[in-house]
Amino acid sequence: MPSRNALDPRGEVLAAIDVGTNAVRLELARALPDGALETLHTERDPVRPGEGLFTTGVISKAVAGRLVATLRRYASVCKRHGARVRAVATSALREARNRDEIVRRVKRDAGLILEVISGREEARLICLGVLTGKPARQKSVCIDLGGGSTEVIFAEGEQPRDLWSVDIGAVRMTELFDVRGTVPRRKLMLMRSFARELMEESIPYGIPGLPSSTLGSSGTIGAIVAYARSEGVGHATLLEVSRTVEALADMDLEKRRKRFDPRRADIITAGAVILESVMKHLKVQTITAVDRGLREGVLVDLVRRKKQEVGDHSLADAAVAVGRRFGFGEAHARQVAKLSLALFDGLAAVHKLPASARPYLEAAALLHDVGHAVNYQRHHKHAYYLIMNVDLPGLSDRERQLVATIARFHRRSKPELAHELMQAFTPAEARMVRKCATLLRVADALDRSHHQPVQRLQLASRGNAVFLKVKARQAVDLELWDVAHEVGLFREVFGRALLVAP
């Protein structure tokens, strides 16, 4: 039975599931009225999703079975608590050739949408988890040392200024160099050189404004700092971390298991080598371990998305900034966005979409023509790829994919549920994309001339028809002609005829 706290109606229960390379973790928390989070339940299972991955390129059947069984149990816990869940997977799933098969299996067997996030999204969420509440002008550096990758974040306040994800982690390096036991001097030297070269390739050298101390947010860093630091001091120095590398290399696995969590003992030497390399490259002198990270970032992000008001223009502003970078037609983009939102708001009883879909439609409308920067004939497809690869602050990778797909279907191919791009979404998400894309097509048609003749729309729904009256400052013959091409799709998607009149 769920705990009494879990059933307390005072705040929504949220769940963050983190599928890492070394372990899988669950955290349940209640969102309190002041924005704070009250932890209700945590679990950690050493599933090792990355076991053997970095040498074979796939997650084995045995590991996949352990992962799905664990996620099925987590899903059951979340359901008992009535939690709103976000499940994310990092480096191991990012690189596995059979990731899509595993994601589908998790959805089928555990009922969870497992979101394989990019390194940049992982770094953003870590930043949010570690630095929430920091003063706006305070500069921080955060290092998260995972099993398959290492994330480095340079932030002001709680906002990331720069994010880097380096494809080296404690499990990956352990497997690459086969160093579970004592590490010979020559092999240790090779590991240090390898880590140093990766840092030099991935992170700029001599970043201006970096503080001399850093925060470490992973369990591996916590274990290294606890071992390395002087008694009574909360941080470890670079010199102490370097000495720890030497000491760990001289220990056999049995000695390390006596000093560290047995689930981490075999990878901690590689983790210390990576941490030393990052600190040297960034020229930071001390590191302090914190017990917050990716899961807390997911929970904070869930709270903020819930609180975000429909009138919040931060995403729209970011979309406009991206559009300007690609030289988009801003007047047309803003007009299409305005008309799209007018259709969304005026037809709420018809489309029955949640308010959370509105910002996605607005961003897609603002960016629907950015593909012109590449080629006009296929600009809808180029828009999709550009949106998928630009940085839109505040959007997860999956939300960016929703926006990109809505924009992709603003012309040519209809947003059919059977289309290959729709297969990445849940049925509810695919229906949302289809409906938003249909509204976007009508709005785009209403500015076919790109001269913004339409001033406002009046909408009414009666029986099996939607009546759209267009208030215009000049002739809209071209717009009405183009809207006529979308009425069939409108009827197909919404089950209503669309009748338009100036």
Side-chain angles (χ1 to χ4, degrees), residues 15 17 26 28 73-83 85 112:
I17 297 173
L26 165 69
L28 286 167
R73 180 164 53 80
Y74 285 5
S76 178
V77 173
C78 294
K79 187 175 181 180
R80 288 203 308 271
H81 286 75
V85 185
L112 285 173

Side-chain angles (χ1 to χ4, degrees), residues 115-132:
E115 182 185 350
V116 183
I117 59 175
S118 68
R120 285 187 64 82
E121 173 67 1
E122 182 180 357
R124 184 187 75 83
L125 291 171
I126 292 167
C127 180
L128 199 56
V130 174
L131 301 176
T132 294

Side-chain angles (χ1 to χ4, degrees), residues 347-385:
L347 297 176
V350 174
H351 61 63
K352 296 182 172 127
L353 288 170
S356 58
R358 193 178 189 271
Y360 306 149
L361 173 59
E362 183 178 19
L366 287 167
L367 294 173
H368 74 284
D369 274 351
V370 291
H372 283 161
V374 180
N375 178 276
Y376 173 77
Q377 294 300 328
R378 295 162 57 87
H379 74 265
H380 54 303
K381 294 183 178 180
H382 296 307
Y384 173 84
Y385 292 113

Side-chain angles (χ1 to χ4, degrees), residues 451-499:
H451 291 153
Q452 299 79 58
V454 175
Q455 293 178 303
R456 69 176 184 272
L457 306 176
Q458 291 181 343
L459 291 149
S461 178
R462 292 194 292 273
N464 290 323
V466 168
F467 296 87
L468 172 59
K469 186 176 289 187
V470 178
K471 173 68 174 176
R473 57 182 173 80
Q474 62 189 57
V476 287
D477 295 348
L478 180 59
E479 279 70 22
L480 296 180
W481 172 82
D482 207 37
V483 170
H485 290 88
E486 303 299 339
V487 296
L489 177 63
F490 190 93
R491 180 189 288 274
E492 184 182 321
V493 173
F494 299 111
R496 310 285 180 96
L498 178 62
L499 304 175

Side-chain angles (χ1 to χ4, degrees), residues 161-480:
R161 263 182 53 176
D162 289 294
L163 308 170
W164 300 279
S165 183
V166 186
D167 288 334
I168 190 65
V171 174
R172 188 196 298 262
M173 178 169 265
T174 298
E175 291 193 355
L176 287 176
F177 287 88
D178 191 19
V179 287
R180 287 175 173 81
T182 304
V183 183
R185 293 288 109 182
R186 179 168 175 75
K187 184 172 281 191
L188 180 61
M189 182 178 68
L190 289 173
M191 291 171 68
R192 281 171 154 165
S193 297
F194 179 72
R196 184 184 69 248
E197 288 175 10
L198 275 178
M199 297 305 156
E200 290 173 351
E201 291 172 3
S202 305
I203 304 174
Y205 190 76
I207 302 166
L210 282 186
S212 61
S213 60
T214 185
L215 302 172
S217 66
S218 68
T220 299
I221 290 179
I224 294 167
V225 170
Y227 178 87
R229 69 188 180 192
S230 302
E231 187 175 349
V233 178
H235 62 262
T237 66
L238 174 56
L239 179 60
E240 288 170 335
V241 170
S242 294
R243 287 173 177 167
T244 296
V245 171
E246 304 280 345
L248 293 175
D250 287 338
M251 288 185 199
D252 60 26
L253 186 55
E254 197 56 40
K255 284 185 179 178
R256 277 190 259 121
R257 283 178 175 160
K258 291 178 180 177
R259 287 186 172 269
F260 301 98
D261 183 335
R263 299 170 298 184
R264 203 182 304 279
D266 59 336
I267 63 170
I268 198 163
T269 305
V273 170
I274 296 167
L275 180 59
E276 176 194 38
S277 178
V278 180
M279 291 181 70
K280 282 185 175 180
H281 183 77
L282 297 177
K283 292 188 175 180
V284 294
Q285 296 304 309
T286 63
I287 182 164
T288 302
V290 294
D291 60 357
R292 295 172 61 84
L294 180 62
R295 290 182 310 289
E296 289 76 15
V298 170
L299 293 172
V300 172
D301 206 43
L302 284 171
V303 170
R304 292 188 177 182
R305 289 178 192 284
K306 184 73 173 179
K307 287 185 174 181
Q308 188 178 43
E309 297 178 357
V310 167
D312 182 2
H313 298 293
S314 57
L315 177 57
D317 291 342
V320 169
V322 169
R324 287 171 179 167
R325 192 192 317 164
F326 291 106
F328 76 151
E330 186 166 343
H332 171 67
R334 288 186 180 276
Q335 174 75 348
V336 172
K338 183 182 84 169
L339 297 175
S340 294
L341 296 183
L343 292 167
F344 185 94
D345 296 340
L347 297 176
V350 174
H351 61 63
K352 296 182 172 127
L353 288 170
S356 58
R358 193 178 189 271
Y360 306 149
L361 173 59
E362 183 178 19
L366 287 167
L367 294 173
H368 74 284
D369 274 351
V370 291
H372 283 161
V374 180
N375 178 276
Y376 173 77
Q377 294 300 328
R378 295 162 57 87
H379 74 265
H380 54 303
K381 294 183 178 180
H382 296 307
Y384 173 84
Y385 292 113
L386 289 175
I387 295 169
M388 285 291 288
N389 288 283
V390 297
D391 187 18
L392 284 169
L395 284 187
S396 69
D397 291 349
R398 190 170 190 83
E399 290 171 320
R400 186 188 296 107
Q401 189 172 12
L402 291 170
V403 171
T405 309
I406 294 168
R408 158 66 177 81
F409 287 117
H410 84 272
R411 71 191 288 266
R412 296 289 179 90
S413 304
K414 292 181 180 180
E416 302 290 357
L417 295 176
H419 193 282
E420 62 179 354
L421 289 179
M422 294 291 203
Q423 304 314 301
F425 304 123
T426 65
E429 288 171 334
R431 289 192 296 271
M432 184 270 285
V433 168
R434 190 170 187 239
K435 290 177 180 180
C436 285
T438 302
L439 296 179
L440 175 55
R441 291 170 80 108
V442 174
D444 190 33
L446 287 169
D447 195 40
R448 178 53 56 212
S449 66
H450 287 222
H451 291 153
Q452 299 79 58
V454 175
Q455 293 178 303
R456 69 176 184 272
L457 306 176
Q458 291 181 343
L459 291 149
S461 178
R462 292 194 292 273
N464 290 323
V466 168
F467 296 87
L468 172 59
K469 186 176 289 187
V470 178
K471 173 68 174 176
R473 57 182 173 80
Q474 62 189 57
V476 287
D477 295 348
L478 180 59
E479 279 70 22
L480 296 180

